[in-house]
Amino acid sequence: MRSVINILDLSVEEIDALIATANDIIANPKKYSEVCHGKKLATLFFEPSTRTRLSFEAAMYELGGHVLGFSDAGSSSATKGESVADTTKMVNCYADIIAMRHPKEGAPLVASMNSKIPVINAGDGGHNHPTQTLTDLLTISRKKGKLSDFTIGFCGDLKFGRTVHSLITALARYTGIKIVLISPDELKLPSYIKKDVLVKQGIEYVQTDNLEEVLPELDVLYMTRVQKERFLSEEEYIRLRDSYILTAEKLKIAKEDLIILHPLPRVNEISVDVDDDPRACYFEQALNGKFIRMALIMELLGLKAE
Ligand code: CP
């Protein structure tokens, strides 16, 4: 049995294989429609979600399997004081695989240590979000035809943005990646990621607070929401929330083959007038999340299409 808690739980070769499977699912969906017949996915979401939970559920249904779970910790026995470990042991009685989101960093790891069935981290606090990273890698690979030799700018809340932390960790294993970190001083990438990932792997990176200055050199722009739920002070959130607003006007100086990604949800960091720009890929990115999660569920259950 194997779980995916951190993107580093998957080798580069395994990620390449998942991307290949996802591309095949996109091309031949019928081939996969009964692969998970009789299998059950439990979605244990202790924190709100639209894309991750619904794409996991859609993924299992499209593989011919079933789904059970909860979307709100308030409707689970966590409210009565049940631990993550005990909840996981219970769900082992009812399901074949678990996708868990939790506001506490490390909760899915605790679940995996108390589980005989695979556990997938569907986002833990400000820490990791490995299936979003797989979604991002699939989207970059489909749009750029490669996962190497490009410049990517991460813009917004790089401190609390778990999708940023996971994607940087993943990209550090590919070649020719240049990283531009664009944030206000208060929302800079945590120093442990700079030290343990960027410096350790010798990844070229720069830091700036000026999006317009660096926009023309980017091949990929990864916008992020300022994570209101992680702030201790409402005042501080209000001061920082509009640090960056990408508009159609600002994009005039960007490359024609730029791709704009965002894990979503957006608040107002991407103006709706950008949505019709062919460089805006964030809705397609959300769709890709379903296909890569189908590939991951199959892999962790040891199932293949006939
Ligand atoms: N990208 C993402 O994790 O979205 P949700 O919070 O809606 O799942």
Side-chain angles (χ1 to χ4, degrees), residues 98-128:
I98 293 171
M100 177 184 283
R101 170 169 290 188
H102 205 287
K104 284 200 181 133
E105 285 90 351
L109 176 64
V110 171
S112 71
M113 292 160 69
N114 287 278
S115 185
K116 292 186 167 62
I117 61 175
V119 176
I120 304 171
N121 179 3
D124 62 328
H127 195 215
N128 273 308

Short mmCIF file of all heavy atoms in Angstrom, two decimals, residues 98-128:
data_model
loop_
_atom_site.label_atom_id
_atom_site.label_comp_id
_atom_site.label_asym_id
_atom_site.label_seq_id
_atom_site.Cartn_x
_atom_site.Cartn_y
_atom_site.Cartn_z
N ILE A 98 -8.43 6.85 0.16
CA ILE A 98 -8.87 8.08 0.85
C ILE A 98 -8.22 9.30 0.20
O ILE A 98 -7.01 9.28 -0.07
CB ILE A 98 -8.45 8.04 2.34
CG1 ILE A 98 -9.21 6.95 3.10
CG2 ILE A 98 -8.64 9.41 3.01
CD1 ILE A 98 -8.69 6.71 4.53
N ALA A 99 -9.01 10.36 -0.01
CA ALA A 99 -8.46 11.69 -0.32
C ALA A 99 -8.81 12.58 0.86
O ALA A 99 -9.99 12.70 1.21
CB ALA A 99 -9.06 12.23 -1.61
N MET A 100 -7.79 13.15 1.51
CA MET A 100 -8.04 13.95 2.72
C MET A 100 -7.51 15.37 2.59
O MET A 100 -6.35 15.58 2.21
CB MET A 100 -7.36 13.31 3.94
CG MET A 100 -7.53 14.16 5.21
SD MET A 100 -6.65 13.48 6.63
CE MET A 100 -7.76 12.16 7.07
N ARG A 101 -8.37 16.33 2.91
CA ARG A 101 -7.92 17.73 3.07
C ARG A 101 -8.11 18.11 4.53
O ARG A 101 -9.13 17.76 5.14
CB ARG A 101 -8.73 18.67 2.18
CG ARG A 101 -8.46 20.14 2.52
CD ARG A 101 -9.02 21.08 1.51
NE ARG A 101 -8.30 21.01 0.25
CZ ARG A 101 -8.49 21.85 -0.75
NH1 ARG A 101 -9.35 22.83 -0.65
NH2 ARG A 101 -7.80 21.72 -1.87
N HIS A 102 -7.12 18.84 5.06
CA HIS A 102 -7.19 19.19 6.48
C HIS A 102 -6.49 20.54 6.70
O HIS A 102 -5.46 20.81 6.07
CB HIS A 102 -6.49 18.10 7.31
CG HIS A 102 -6.98 18.02 8.72
ND1 HIS A 102 -6.65 18.97 9.67
CD2 HIS A 102 -7.78 17.13 9.35
CE1 HIS A 102 -7.22 18.65 10.81
NE2 HIS A 102 -7.92 17.54 10.65
N PRO A 103 -7.01 21.38 7.59
CA PRO A 103 -6.34 22.66 7.83
C PRO A 103 -5.01 22.51 8.56
O PRO A 103 -4.17 23.43 8.54
CB PRO A 103 -7.34 23.44 8.69
CG PRO A 103 -8.24 22.41 9.29
CD PRO A 103 -8.27 21.26 8.33
N LYS A 104 -4.79 21.37 9.22
CA LYS A 104 -3.54 21.20 9.98
C LYS A 104 -2.48 20.53 9.13
O LYS A 104 -2.69 19.42 8.59
CB LYS A 104 -3.79 20.33 11.22
CG LYS A 104 -4.49 21.07 12.32
CD LYS A 104 -4.28 20.36 13.65
CE LYS A 104 -5.02 21.11 14.75
NZ LYS A 104 -5.79 20.24 15.61
N GLU A 105 -1.31 21.16 9.03
CA GLU A 105 -0.18 20.57 8.32
C GLU A 105 0.16 19.22 8.95
O GLU A 105 0.24 19.12 10.18
CB GLU A 105 1.05 21.48 8.40
CG GLU A 105 1.00 22.70 7.49
CD GLU A 105 0.36 23.92 8.15
OE1 GLU A 105 -0.21 23.78 9.26
OE2 GLU A 105 0.40 25.01 7.55
N GLY A 106 0.32 18.22 8.12
CA GLY A 106 0.72 16.91 8.63
C GLY A 106 -0.43 15.96 8.90
O GLY A 106 -0.21 14.77 9.12
N ALA A 107 -1.68 16.45 8.91
CA ALA A 107 -2.81 15.55 9.22
C ALA A 107 -2.91 14.38 8.22
O ALA A 107 -3.07 13.23 8.64
CB ALA A 107 -4.12 16.34 9.27
N PRO A 108 -2.77 14.62 6.90
CA PRO A 108 -2.82 13.47 5.97
C PRO A 108 -1.66 12.49 6.20
O PRO A 108 -1.82 11.28 5.98
CB PRO A 108 -2.75 14.11 4.58
CG PRO A 108 -3.24 15.51 4.79
CD PRO A 108 -2.75 15.89 6.15
N LEU A 109 -0.53 12.99 6.65
CA LEU A 109 0.59 12.09 6.96
C LEU A 109 0.22 11.18 8.14
O LEU A 109 0.45 9.97 8.11
CB LEU A 109 1.86 12.90 7.28
CG LEU A 109 3.08 12.09 7.72
CD1 LEU A 109 3.56 11.16 6.61
CD2 LEU A 109 4.22 13.01 8.17
N VAL A 110 -0.37 11.79 9.17
CA VAL A 110 -0.85 11.00 10.32
C VAL A 110 -1.86 9.95 9.84
O VAL A 110 -1.81 8.79 10.24
CB VAL A 110 -1.48 11.93 11.40
CG1 VAL A 110 -2.18 11.12 12.48
CG2 VAL A 110 -0.42 12.83 12.00
N ALA A 111 -2.76 10.37 8.95
CA ALA A 111 -3.76 9.43 8.41
C ALA A 111 -3.05 8.26 7.72
O ALA A 111 -3.39 7.09 7.94
CB ALA A 111 -4.68 10.15 7.44
N SER A 112 -2.05 8.57 6.90
CA SER A 112 -1.37 7.50 6.14
C SER A 112 -0.66 6.52 7.07
O SER A 112 -0.55 5.34 6.77
CB SER A 112 -0.38 8.10 5.14
OG SER A 112 0.74 8.66 5.81
N MET A 113 -0.19 7.04 8.22
CA MET A 113 0.50 6.17 9.18
C MET A 113 -0.48 5.26 9.93
O MET A 113 -0.07 4.34 10.63
CB MET A 113 1.31 7.03 10.17
CG MET A 113 2.48 7.73 9.49
SD MET A 113 3.10 9.14 10.41
CE MET A 113 3.80 8.37 11.81
N ASN A 114 -1.76 5.55 9.81
CA ASN A 114 -2.79 4.75 10.49
C ASN A 114 -3.73 4.09 9.50
O ASN A 114 -4.88 3.81 9.83
CB ASN A 114 -3.58 5.66 11.43
CG ASN A 114 -2.78 6.05 12.65
OD1 ASN A 114 -2.69 5.29 13.60
ND2 ASN A 114 -2.12 7.20 12.59
N SER A 115 -3.21 3.87 8.29
CA SER A 115 -4.09 3.37 7.23
C SER A 115 -3.50 2.16 6.53
O SER A 115 -2.29 2.11 6.29
CB SER A 115 -4.31 4.49 6.20
OG SER A 115 -5.24 4.09 5.23
N LYS A 116 -4.37 1.24 6.18
CA LYS A 116 -3.95 0.09 5.37
C LYS A 116 -4.33 0.31 3.91
O LYS A 116 -4.03 -0.51 3.06
CB LYS A 116 -4.60 -1.19 5.90
CG LYS A 116 -4.09 -1.60 7.28
CD LYS A 116 -4.67 -2.96 7.67
CE LYS A 116 -3.97 -3.56 8.87
NZ LYS A 116 -4.10 -2.76 10.10
N ILE A 117 -5.07 1.40 3.65
CA ILE A 117 -5.43 1.73 2.26
C ILE A 117 -4.71 3.05 1.89
O ILE A 117 -4.32 3.81 2.78
CB ILE A 117 -6.97 1.86 2.09
CG1 ILE A 117 -7.53 2.99 2.97
CG2 ILE A 117 -7.66 0.53 2.41
CD1 ILE A 117 -9.02 3.26 2.76
N PRO A 118 -4.51 3.32 0.59
CA PRO A 118 -3.77 4.54 0.21
C PRO A 118 -4.48 5.82 0.67
O PRO A 118 -5.70 5.91 0.62
CB PRO A 118 -3.75 4.47 -1.32
CG PRO A 118 -4.02 3.04 -1.67
CD PRO A 118 -4.90 2.51 -0.58
N VAL A 119 -3.67 6.78 1.12
CA VAL A 119 -4.18 8.11 1.49
C VAL A 119 -3.54 9.12 0.55
O VAL A 119 -2.32 9.11 0.34
CB VAL A 119 -3.81 8.46 2.95
CG1 VAL A 119 -4.26 9.89 3.29
CG2 VAL A 119 -4.44 7.47 3.93
N ILE A 120 -4.37 9.99 -0.02
CA ILE A 120 -3.87 11.07 -0.87
C ILE A 120 -4.08 12.38 -0.14
O ILE A 120 -5.20 12.67 0.32
CB ILE A 120 -4.61 11.10 -2.23
CG1 ILE A 120 -4.52 9.75 -2.94
CG2 ILE A 120 -4.04 12.21 -3.11
CD1 ILE A 120 -5.40 9.64 -4.18
N ASN A 121 -3.01 13.17 -0.03
CA ASN A 121 -3.12 14.49 0.58
C ASN A 121 -3.80 15.43 -0.42
O ASN A 121 -3.25 15.73 -1.48
CB ASN A 121 -1.70 14.99 0.91
CG ASN A 121 -1.70 16.38 1.53
OD1 ASN A 121 -2.75 16.96 1.76
ND2 ASN A 121 -0.50 16.89 1.79
N ALA A 122 -4.98 15.91 -0.05
CA ALA A 122 -5.73 16.82 -0.93
C ALA A 122 -5.55 18.27 -0.48
O ALA A 122 -6.37 19.14 -0.80
CB ALA A 122 -7.20 16.42 -0.94
N GLY A 123 -4.44 18.53 0.25
CA GLY A 123 -4.14 19.87 0.74
C GLY A 123 -4.12 19.88 2.25
O GLY A 123 -5.13 19.57 2.89
N ASP A 124 -2.93 20.20 2.85
CA ASP A 124 -2.85 20.29 4.31
C ASP A 124 -2.30 21.65 4.71
O ASP A 124 -1.14 21.96 4.52
CB ASP A 124 -2.04 19.13 4.91
CG ASP A 124 -0.59 19.06 4.48
OD1 ASP A 124 -0.29 19.45 3.32
OD2 ASP A 124 0.26 18.63 5.28
N GLY A 125 -3.19 22.47 5.26
CA GLY A 125 -2.81 23.80 5.73
C GLY A 125 -2.03 24.57 4.67
O GLY A 125 -2.35 24.54 3.48
N GLY A 126 -0.97 25.26 5.11
CA GLY A 126 -0.14 26.02 4.18
C GLY A 126 1.03 25.20 3.68
O GLY A 126 2.04 25.76 3.22
N HIS A 127 0.93 23.89 3.73
CA HIS A 127 2.06 23.00 3.55
C HIS A 127 2.19 22.48 2.12
O HIS A 127 3.02 22.96 1.35
CB HIS A 127 1.88 21.84 4.57
CG HIS A 127 3.07 21.01 4.81
ND1 HIS A 127 2.97 19.66 5.05
CD2 HIS A 127 4.37 21.32 4.86
CE1 HIS A 127 4.19 19.18 5.23
NE2 HIS A 127 5.05 20.17 5.12
N ASN A 128 1.34 21.49 1.75
CA ASN A 128 1.49 20.78 0.48
C ASN A 128 0.15 20.56 -0.21
O ASN A 128 -0.88 20.46 0.45
CB ASN A 128 2.08 19.38 0.74
CG ASN A 128 3.59 19.42 0.77
OD1 ASN A 128 4.22 19.92 -0.14
ND2 ASN A 128 4.16 18.89 1.83
#
